[in-house]
Amino acid sequence: RSPFKDFPLVLCGHSLGAGVASILALMLRSKFPSLKCFAYEVPGCIFDEDLCKKTEEFIVSFVRNDDLVPRLSHHNFETVREKFCDVLARIKVPKIKLFFDLRVPCEDVHLAHRNAKVLKPEKDIRRDTQFYQRVEKLKLERFEKNLAGVNKFQLFIPGKIIHLVDTKGNNSSEDYVPYYAHRKDFNQVVISKRMLSDHDIHFLIDIFRDIRLVGPHSNNVSLISHDFHQIFLEDDENEAIEPDTRLFFCCSNPNGKLPLVLASIAAMAWSLGAYGSSGCDFITFHSVLPELPLGLYSYALYECTQLDANNTC
């Protein structure tokens, strides 16, 4: 009997932090039976299938649209490599022409037409070429190694999985619809222009803000089922809703890369300025506003008023 059985404990994290939170939840589950874990855009290589089923009682994972990270696994990358080799065998135009053609964005409605211009059908692939035989040999070698090594255990997303799908494709937070998905639905990497941007945590918060309520509103969708606590609904319906909610996610950068870039530039400018001020023998500088440390200086050349015996000032 755990002395902490009545202690409410909730773990959450985003991306790498979601993977850490999932593993920590599994480790603490025996001491905190009421523990819940919410893993946002967790990597898809955390637990094997049996362990993922056991964590469905206390872990909820969220995947946004075509996000790459929840599809990161050894099995998926093996599949991407094999499909890439298959596509190479189907190319019917010079590679340099295909390279320049791929640099031009193509809308989804025109994708099939462009593929037909550069790729031959699978039934027309020549099996007697040296390239095709080497590809098949590589596939066989990798298959045998995977069966003999640790990679024979396929890893998945932990817990119950809620897939947030952009129903209209215009990347509006109001158009996302959540549904419970199976972990094997993410057994392939989706190659799209959004596969990296869908991992952004800032827009994920906007999505939750638009679909989090459970009630009579027609534009709200419930994410609650399977005896889980209401994730986004307050326990007391009469309690005033907080006008501003602050969220903390492990291993995340809530303000993006811009503050880091600006801070790096400022630190570099300060160090170069200090080095130049102390090492330059030809100019003097004076602060324009001494009372305010704004880094504004005026510069002037040294004036030599008298020479010594060595002809130096």
Side-chain angles (χ1 to χ4, degrees), residues 67-80:
D67 188 4
L68 171 65
V69 173
R71 296 172 171 87
L72 291 180
S73 68
H74 181 271
H75 173 268
N76 287 359
F77 279 109
E78 290 272 357
T79 304
V80 169

Side-chain angles (χ1 to χ4, degrees), residues 54-106:
K54 295 179 180 179
T55 59
E56 289 181 354
E57 299 179 1
F58 56 94
I59 296 180
V60 180
S61 297
F62 295 85
V63 179
R64 176 187 166 194
N65 218 51
D66 296 340
D67 188 4
L68 171 65
V69 173
R71 296 172 171 87
L72 291 180
S73 68
H74 181 271
H75 173 268
N76 287 359
F77 279 109
E78 290 272 357
T79 304
V80 169
R81 185 192 60 212
E82 293 180 2
K83 290 186 176 181
F84 178 74
C85 293
D86 292 339
V87 171
L88 285 179
R90 295 176 56 191
I91 296 175
K92 61 182 180 181
V93 298
K95 304 297 189 297
I96 187 65
K97 182 180 183 302
L98 180 64
F99 173 76
F100 286 107
D101 188 48
L102 292 177
R103 295 178 61 187
V104 181
C106 180

Side-chain angles (χ1 to χ4, degrees), residues 13 35 37 79 100 118 124 171-172 175 186 199 212 219 228 247 252 272:
L35 176 146
C37 175
T79 304
F100 286 107
V118 298
D124 295 338
N171 205 24
S172 173
D175 296 330
F186 306 95
H199 194 64
R212 66 178 178 171
N219 62 336
F228 274 93
L247 301 178
S252 65
L272 291 177

